C-alpha cells in the first residue's frame, strides 16, 4: 500500500495479532493523515514518482499523529501486524470531517479520565 499512498491521504490502521486472529481498527487509529511515504534509501514518494528511471518503492509511511497515537503505534509495532487502509483522498472537506471525528475520540477519553 505504501507505494500508492499520497501526501494528505487519510488512512486507518488495522491491527492483527501475530499468531492470527481478526483484524480490527483501534478507535484511536481510525483516521490518520499521511505525511509521506519514503523508500529505504530515504527518497519521498513524490521524488520517486518524478524519476521515471527509478525502480524504488516506498517502504515506510510517515503519519501525522498525536502523542497517544504515537505511543499506541510504537507499542503495536512489536506485538501485532499493522496494515494501512486508504479512507479518503483528494477531498479536503471530507478529510477534515474525518480528522475532527478522530479528535472526538480523544476528547471523550479525556473527559472520561477526568470524571473517574
Amino acid at each position: 500500500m505504501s507505494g500508492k499512498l499520497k501526501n494528505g491521504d487519510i488512512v486507518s490502521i488495522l491491527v492483527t495479532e501475530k499468531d492470527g486472529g481478526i483484524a480490527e481498527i483501534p478507535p484511536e487509529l481510525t483516521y490518520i493523515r499521511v505525511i509521506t511515504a519514503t523508500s529505504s534509501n530515504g527518497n519521498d514518494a513524490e521524488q520517486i514518482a518524478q524519476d521515471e528511471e527509478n525502480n524504488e518503492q516506498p517502504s515506510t509511511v510517515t503519519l501525522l499523529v498525536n502523542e497517544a497515537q504515537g505511543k499506541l503505534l510504537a507499542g503495536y509495532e512489536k506485538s501485532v501486524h499493522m496494515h494501512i487502509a486508504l479512507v479518503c483522498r483528494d477531498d479536503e472537506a471530507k478529510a477534515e470531517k474525518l480528522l475532527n471525528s478522530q479528535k472526538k475520540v480523544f476528547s471523550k477519553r479525556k473527559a472520561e479520565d477526568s470524571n473517574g
Side-chain angles (χ1 to χ4, degrees):
M1 183 70 181
S2 63
K4 303 296 181 191
L5 291 176
K6 294 175 25 179
N7 298 2
D9 285 349
I10 303 300
V11 298
S12 293
I13 307 298
L14 291 93
V15 298
T16 307
E17 297 295 325
K18 290 199 175 190
D19 59 355
I22 298 172
E24 64 180 8
I25 300 171
E28 301 88 350
L29 303 176
T30 304
Y31 303 120
I32 298 176
R33 187 178 297 272
V34 172
I35 295 175
T36 192
T38 308
S39 74
S40 59
N41 291 335
N43 294 319
D44 286 345
E46 291 179 359
Q47 293 172 312
I48 295 168
Q50 291 173 1
D51 184 0
E52 294 176 9
E53 295 178 17
N54 191 339
N55 292 327
E56 288 182 275
Q57 286 295 314
S59 59
T60 303
V61 176
T62 304
L63 305 169
L64 182 60
V65 298
N66 63 32
E67 183 178 351
Q69 290 168 316
K71 288 179 179 180
L72 189 60
L73 288 167
Y76 279 152
E77 190 171 11
K78 293 188 178 195
S79 63
V80 301
H81 292 291
M82 291 186 286
H83 304 276
I84 297 174
L86 179 64
V87 176
C88 176
R89 173 177 284 166
D90 297 333
D91 185 342
E92 193 56 34
K94 181 178 179 181
E96 286 304 315
K97 285 181 185 178
L98 295 171
L99 293 172
N100 284 334
S101 70
Q102 181 66 74
K103 287 178 186 176
K104 289 178 185 176
V105 170
F106 294 98
S107 298
K108 183 178 177 182
R109 293 248 166 99
K110 189 174 182 180
E112 290 171 355
D113 290 345
S114 301
N115 293 331

